[in-house]
Amino acid sequence: MPDPSPIFRFAPSPTGALHLGNGFSALYSFAAAQATQAAGGRFLLRVEDIDQGRCRPEYEAAMLADLAWLGLVWETPVRRQSEHMADYAAALATLDDAGLIYPCFCTRKQIAREIAAAPSAPHGPDGARYPGTCRNLSKSARKDKIAAGTPYALRLDSAAAAARVAANLTWHDRGKGIQTCRPTAHGDVVLARKDTPTSYHLAVTVDDALQGVSCVTRGMDLFAASHVHRLLQALLDLPTPEYDHHRLLLDDEGSRLAKRQGSISLADMRAAGTDPVALRRDLGFEF
Ligand code: GLU
């Protein structure tokens, strides 16, 4: 059997206009796929639209138009996460059967209060970790709260999960080499949100596996998230892709570009008459 084709993906969330940093990320992945064309390299676009409160169809349409303007070509149909909730539910059921998830009824305010009150709240790569309040609720307390209609998220019991997997899970990052997974680094992450029955960590891990992604390219801001993804791969018996976390583009003040900060959008650049070929070259991509 020949090796399967290398598969790369760009996986944006349609929560606003794409900015130059998103464009860089998309081009990075596309160029990686192009570089493996002789081996059948493929490029996928995935719409990460689980946050139905923030994602909008018009953002998605604009996003596709911006990427086409940049010169990207992707396979169709595009996978839209909101259409695949059954896949995430199946993964949750596997983790539930193994006793590795629990309902969490805490509100953001309660969590913040608990963290502020703790003398030395444990911190992970993204700040203070969830203090574990609901992990210790009794079965009957959980039942009562659910029966009363209290909204809940599902969290991974990271300590129990760590005990379940090999001690030395690793993955390879193209820039940083072999990495060793720290399964509890992020604590008990949310795998299903109160408002949607999955989460970024769960959906991205399941999708990368289902789509056969062989190399996950994305920004350095998501480097630490790979600890969670590697752990989930081990728990769900999914393959581990290679990773390639690229540099982030910074603005003149040295802050990273962000949709929420109103960084200049690709649509603005297009409207201002920017030449996409020159833009690609300025960003370091020749194709
Ligand atoms: N959807 C994520 C974002 O827009 C990226 C996911 C990933 O590449 O792992 O930030």
Side-chain angles (χ1 to χ4, degrees):
M1 281 275 283
D3 280 348
S5 304
I7 301 182
F8 298 80
R9 63 24 168 217
F10 175 55
S13 300
T15 53
L18 293 185
H19 55 68
L20 196 57
N22 303 125
F24 177 81
S25 198
L27 286 164
Y28 192 91
S29 178
F30 186 74
Q34 292 257 308
T36 61
Q37 227 173 20
R42 295 167 54 193
F43 174 69
L44 310 180
L45 179 66
R46 184 168 72 228
V47 177
E48 303 217 321
D49 60 347
I50 58 169
D51 189 338
Q52 290 291 301
R54 290 175 59 219
C55 295
R56 300 213 199 123
E58 59 268 30
Y59 288 147
E60 182 187 314
M63 194 170 89
L64 301 188
D66 289 344
L67 295 174
W69 170 75
L70 262 186
L72 304 196
V73 183
W74 54 89
E75 294 183 14
T76 53
V78 164
R79 184 174 172 95
R80 222 173 260 113
Q81 290 188 323
S82 60
E83 294 168 355
H84 296 277
M85 290 298 172
D87 291 329
Y88 315 130
L92 282 173
T94 302
L95 297 172
D96 193 24
D97 289 348
L100 297 176
I101 53 177
Y102 62 86
C104 171
F105 305 91
C106 294
T107 60
R108 276 172 205 249
K109 263 197 192 151
Q110 282 169 334
I111 296 173
R113 222 180 296 133
E114 279 219 30
I115 289 170
S120 59
H123 275 60
D126 292 334
R129 283 189 247 152
Y130 174 63
T133 324
C134 287
R135 193 193 312 126
N136 305 319
L137 282 181
S138 66
K139 264 194 183 149
S140 66
R142 281 178 187 161
K143 249 199 199 151
D144 291 349
K145 281 180 183 286
I146 291 172
T150 316
Y152 61 94
L154 293 173
R155 286 184 182 272
L156 179 69
D157 183 337
S158 59
R164 197 59 72 89
V165 297
N168 54 349
L169 296 178
T170 58
W171 77 85
H172 182 251
D173 183 85
R174 284 192 177 178
K176 296 196 172 230
I178 297 287
Q179 303 294 309
T180 302
C181 177
R182 288 183 288 121
T184 56
H186 291 260
D188 292 0
V189 290
V190 169
L191 295 185
R193 297 161 33 155
K194 285 180 184 173
D195 59 354
T196 190
T198 186
S199 70
Y200 161 63
H201 291 306
L202 183 69
V204 85
T205 306
V206 168
D207 282 356
D208 282 333
L210 282 179
Q211 295 192 288
V213 171
S214 54
C215 183
V216 169
T217 58
R218 60 186 175 202
M220 221 18 141
D221 51 331
L222 290 169
F223 184 84
S226 302
H227 288 284
V228 179
H229 305 171
R230 181 66 189 89
L231 173 62
L232 290 174
Q233 286 153 12
L235 295 171
L236 295 167
D237 206 11
L238 301 175
T240 300
E242 193 181 17
Y243 287 85
D244 190 358
H245 292 92
H246 59 71
R247 71 185 173 94
L248 300 177
L249 296 194
L250 304 178
D251 64 16
D252 293 342
E253 273 97 60
S255 321
R256 64 179 245 247
L257 306 180
K259 284 182 201 148
R260 288 192 218 204
Q261 278 158 20
S263 296
I264 180 153
S265 69
L266 294 176
D268 290 340
M269 298 178 88
R270 179 153 51 118
T274 304
D275 172 11
V277 178
L279 177 62
R280 291 203 303 256
R281 203 177 317 118
D282 288 350
L283 291 172
F285 302 101
E286 300 276 356
F287 60 82

